[in-house]
Amino acid sequence: MFVDPPQLFAQLKRAPMPSLPRRAAQAFCALILWKSPMPRSYALPEKASHAFTARMCAGSRFLESQRSDALFVDPLASKLAGPQGLAQPMGDWIMVPRTRFGDDFVLHHYMKARPCRQLVLLGAGMDARAYRLRLPELKVFEVDLPILFQEKEPLLEGETLTVQSRSVVPTDFSSGEDWSTKLQRDEHFDPTQPTVWLPEGLMMYLTDREATQTLRRIGALSAPHSALFFDAISASYVRQRIVVGGAPFLGGSDHYAEWLKEAASFGRTQVWDFNSMRVDRWNQRLSKDWARTVSPAELYGRNVVLFVESQI
Ligand SMILES: C[S@@+](CC[C@H](N)C(=O)[O-])C[C@H]1O[C@@H](n2cnc3c(N)ncnc32)[C@H](O)[C@@H]1O
């Protein structure tokens, strides 16, 4: 008989057994789990929760795409969200400004005199920019959990790219695996060329150590004129013990500019107070007219959602 320890462990947690035998059985399963040479992504049920948050994001992109005053249109969002993501969208309050900020950011760096023609989506989730941004010279690379791509790739079969190419790099940022080597092995990626990096909706799910390691790898592969954008939370927000779709927030900081400089050599950083960005429905754009940057001193002890943008 095949025994799946994580499933059995979860079932035992719910089973109406007397507490002593239940605890003994749980301890037995925990021992098997601990001793099994399984990859972490399989051993931890939380990874499925992380992948689920990606469906939630696509659910919100679908809702936005239905509006006549939409700030972006994602024709694949419904399919990628699936019934689960459509039933529990992440929320337009964050998904509309973040997605539009990211879109504008990619376009800006694509059009510059020293253009970025490589886009790396870290924690790509159910992002479909490779199928909706009409940037014919852009090469898109998606990095996320293996379990995520197992769900995503079959959904994309037969869809037409609107960019030059799309590659996927399955990894688990918490496993310590060097995803950057895998990325470098991809024939389309060239570390001597500028890259746009978008770890949207990712940094809060990483511990400080995992985030530092991720930033170091970004820095090591970033040619001059590379650029980075992500959303994040302030340090005190982490103590609120937020859990989204079963995945806990683990990391946040008041010192992103310093951190990016030290870990990735990205020296030109702006940390925006997310609340000062305005979704301008009338003009169908994200307005930065009243947007405010915040210093570490202003963030200290406050629960703030941040938009961080940086360049090397
Ligand atoms: C909230 S979703 C954001 C997805 C996408 N960036 C978007 O905006 O739609 C977070 C994504 O990060 C990925 N993720 C979280 N922890 C991860 C880890 N340790 N390794 C790899 N990917 C991870 C999840 O699988 C998920 O796709």
Side-chain angles (χ1 to χ4, degrees):
M1 186 185 63
F2 174 71
V3 178
D4 179 4
Q7 262 184 30
L8 187 58
F9 186 70
Q11 273 169 17
L12 283 166
K13 264 173 111 174
R14 291 191 296 266
M17 276 194 261
S19 77
L20 194 61
R22 184 175 62 191
R23 293 231 166 129
Q26 274 183 359
F28 177 68
C29 286
L31 188 70
I32 296 177
L33 277 173
W34 180 55
K35 286 282 179 195
S36 320
M38 287 185 288
R40 228 186 129 186
S41 57
Y42 175 69
L44 290 179
E46 102 212 16
K47 295 304 170 202
S49 306
H50 281 120
F52 175 62
T53 65
R55 299 258 191 188
M56 296 169 71
C57 292
S60 285
R61 280 193 289 270
F62 169 71
L63 293 178
E64 178 66 9
S65 304
Q66 300 310 297
R67 295 182 63 121
S68 58
D69 55 2
L71 269 72
F72 54 83
V73 174
D74 182 345
L76 297 181
S78 167
K79 182 154 76 154
L80 291 169
Q84 315 97 303
L86 295 175
Q88 208 176 321
M90 183 64 79
D92 57 355
W93 66 274
I94 180 72
M95 289 310 298
V96 175
R98 182 174 91 197
T99 306
R100 182 56 191 257
F101 195 111
D103 286 358
D104 291 347
F105 193 77
V106 173
L107 189 61
H108 173 75
H109 289 281
Y110 184 86
M111 304 300 284
K112 272 178 34 171
R114 288 297 312 274
C116 293
R117 296 286 151 91
Q118 305 185 122
L119 167 64
V120 183
L121 300 159
L122 296 157
M126 295 295 180
D127 187 291
R129 285 193 174 95
Y131 299 87
R132 67 179 179 84
L133 295 185
R134 299 196 174 275
L135 302 175
E137 289 178 25
L138 191 69
K139 290 177 255 172
V140 177
F141 305 86
E142 300 188 6
V143 188
D144 206 300
L145 293 166
I147 190 179
L148 185 285
F149 291 120
Q150 279 160 25
E151 293 177 19
K152 185 175 186 179
E153 296 314 290
L155 297 171
L156 293 173
E157 261 169 42
E159 299 296 345
T160 308
L161 290 175
T162 56
V163 296
Q164 190 181 111
S165 65
R166 170 181 179 266
S167 313
V168 302
V169 179
T171 197
D172 180 349
F173 295 116
S174 63
S175 70
E177 182 192 30
D178 187 0
W179 54 267
S180 62
T181 312
K182 281 188 180 173
L183 181 60
Q184 269 179 290
R185 267 194 236 121
D186 190 298
E187 54 173 342
H188 299 291
F189 187 78
D190 181 354
T192 67
Q193 295 302 312
T195 300
V196 171
W197 303 89
L198 294 190
E200 292 164 304
L202 173 72
M203 300 307 273
M204 58 288 281
Y205 296 106
L206 304 182
T207 62
D208 286 358
R209 193 181 56 81
E210 291 159 7
T212 301
Q213 198 172 50
T214 303
L215 292 176
R216 282 209 183 109
R217 289 182 172 140
I218 290 175
L221 295 184
S222 290
H225 305 282
S226 293
L228 170 71
F229 161 65
F230 59 88
D231 53 323
I233 52 173
S234 59
S236 91
Y237 227 150
V238 184
R239 292 191 282 278
Q240 300 298 311
R241 295 174 180 272
I242 294 166
V243 178
V244 176
F249 280 9
L250 302 174
S253 173
D254 298 343
H255 298 270
Y256 278 105
E258 230 178 293
W259 200 357
L260 281 164
K261 176 89 187 131
E262 265 174 42
S265 306
F266 273 67
R268 287 180 288 151
T269 299
Q270 283 179 300
V271 180
W272 301 96
D273 180 342
F274 156 83
N275 276 316
S276 62
M277 303 271 161
R278 291 278 169 270
V279 172
D280 176 357
R281 290 274 174 207
W282 184 258
N283 294 302
Q284 290 177 264
R285 67 178 191 123
L286 185 67
S287 163
K288 279 193 196 166
D289 294 350
W290 292 278
R292 266 185 348 104
T293 56
V294 271
S295 67
E298 288 171 292
L299 288 176
Y300 182 76
R302 291 178 56 218
N303 300 336
V304 186
V305 176
L306 306 166
F307 276 3
V308 181
E309 67 174 306
S310 191
Q311 283 178 63
I312 201 158

